[in-house]
Amino acid sequence: MTGPANRPSNRPVRIGPRAAAALVLVTLIGIAAFGWPLLADRQSGLAHSQDAPWLFAVLLPLLVAIVVATIADNGMDAKAVAMLGVLAAVGAALRPLGAGTAGLEPMFFLMVLAGRVLGPGFGFVLGSVTMFASALLTGGVGPWMPFQMLTMGWFSLGAGLLPGPERIRGRAELLMLAAYGCAGAFAYGAVMNLQGWTIIPGMSDGISFHAGEPLAANLARFVAYYLATSLGWDLGRAALTVVLTLTLGGTLLRALRRATRKAAFDAPVSFDSGGADVRKPAADGYASGH
């Protein structure tokens, strides 16, 4: 007796309804956390340092919920969680290599490729956990940390939502990932600037945040602030991500996909004569033809 039909083993891990619901919830919470100062009045108080602990307290159980839901929806085992841990450790180790040097952060390259292979659910968790681990490693723990976790989670999630390798393969796949990494690097910088911009005092009137003023006026000032302060930094991050994706991406994609097969991410279910559930990872040769 054979279980679900085999699917190409180089596809990202699919996202089921429970994991999707958890991701939607954490995304809505994140949007509210980043955006509420833009809609607040002058007397509300705008220090993100006050809401960061609450956001962190909400984020952690939701990350666990996404992992549990993804495993339940796909029938994976502890090896999937082990894969997340290894990739998060590698990403955290990569971050100090470039942080503080013209925005050159090689961890973004790894997050793009890992999100592509692991899928949106595991990609979001990987991005968030990697940023948390790197903050502990570099001493970068502060009110910005939960916002970094969310933004990096979204960055990796987006890579998992790109068109699948059954539609785009080879060089075209690398070009797509490089383009996404470039755009995502700028988006990450812009979103994180939004977190800090609302509480920075002493800036010129044309780029400072004015609490209680119309949303359109504040967004125009934010664009001016981002262009004046952060565009150059994000350009370095985007350029490095593109270069690493195009030069090393093919090799790393193959390695990650091979590792997920060994971890039985895509193992079909079959039953022996005694009724025992047996999971058999797809052979490497099968995946190489896709």
Side-chain angles (χ1 to χ4, degrees):
M1 179 177 177
T2 303
N6 198 6
R7 54 190 170 90
S9 60
N10 57 358
R11 286 183 59 187
V13 178
R14 72 177 182 86
I15 182 170
R18 288 170 288 193
L23 281 171
V24 169
L25 177 59
V26 74
T27 296
L28 292 176
I29 292 172
I31 292 173
F34 275 101
W36 74 264
L38 296 175
L39 305 176
D41 58 36
R42 297 178 187 272
Q43 289 75 37
S44 62
L46 294 170
H48 272 302
S49 59
Q50 297 177 4
D51 57 28
W54 297 103
L55 177 60
F56 185 67
V58 171
L59 181 57
L60 285 183
L62 284 175
L63 290 177
V64 175
I66 293 170
V67 172
V68 172
T70 305
I71 291 175
D73 289 336
N74 291 277
M76 292 177 288
D77 57 22
K79 288 181 285 188
V81 180
M83 172 73 75
L84 281 175
V86 170
L87 290 173
V90 173
L94 285 176
R95 191 181 182 203
L97 297 180
T101 309
L104 302 178
E105 297 180 88
M107 70 175 291
F108 280 76
F109 150 71
L110 177 62
M111 293 300 103
V112 170
L113 300 183
R116 171 69 166 170
V117 173
L118 294 175
F122 273 14
F124 180 87
V125 176
L126 174 63
S128 299
V129 172
T130 300
M131 191 57 72
F132 175 69
S134 68
L136 297 179
L137 184 64
T138 61
V141 177
W144 54 83
M145 186 182 68
F147 296 92
Q148 288 178 327
M149 291 172 63
L150 273 170
T151 310
M152 185 57 75
W154 289 331
F155 178 79
S156 299
L157 179 149
L161 292 175
L162 294 172
E166 70 276 10
R167 296 170 54 189
I168 300 179
R169 316 178 197 180
R171 191 67 177 174
E173 181 180 27
L174 290 180
L175 289 172
M176 177 186 69
L177 293 175
Y180 173 80
C182 180
F186 285 108
Y188 175 90
V191 172
M192 281 307 304
N193 270 277
L194 183 61
Q195 180 267 329
W197 173 65
T198 58
I199 57 176
I200 299 177
M203 295 187 294
S204 64
D205 186 70
I207 63 173
S208 63
F209 173 66
H210 294 182
E213 291 204 2
L215 177 62
N218 270 324
L219 288 178
R221 293 190 187 96
F222 174 70
V223 171
Y225 166 81
Y226 175 73
L227 294 176
T229 62
S230 301
L231 181 62
W233 182 276
D234 293 342
L235 180 61
R237 177 192 297 129
L240 181 63
T241 302
V242 169
V243 169
L244 291 178
T245 300
L246 294 179
T247 56
L248 303 177
T251 300
L252 186 54
L253 276 177
R254 288 191 294 272
L256 288 173
R257 283 167 174 159
R258 187 176 300 113
T260 58
R261 291 195 299 272
K262 299 296 184 182
F265 272 49
D266 292 294
V269 178
S270 61
F271 299 91
D272 62 15
S273 58
D277 186 353
V278 180
R279 294 185 179 274
K280 299 179 180 179
D284 287 356
Y286 173 83
S288 63
H290 290 266

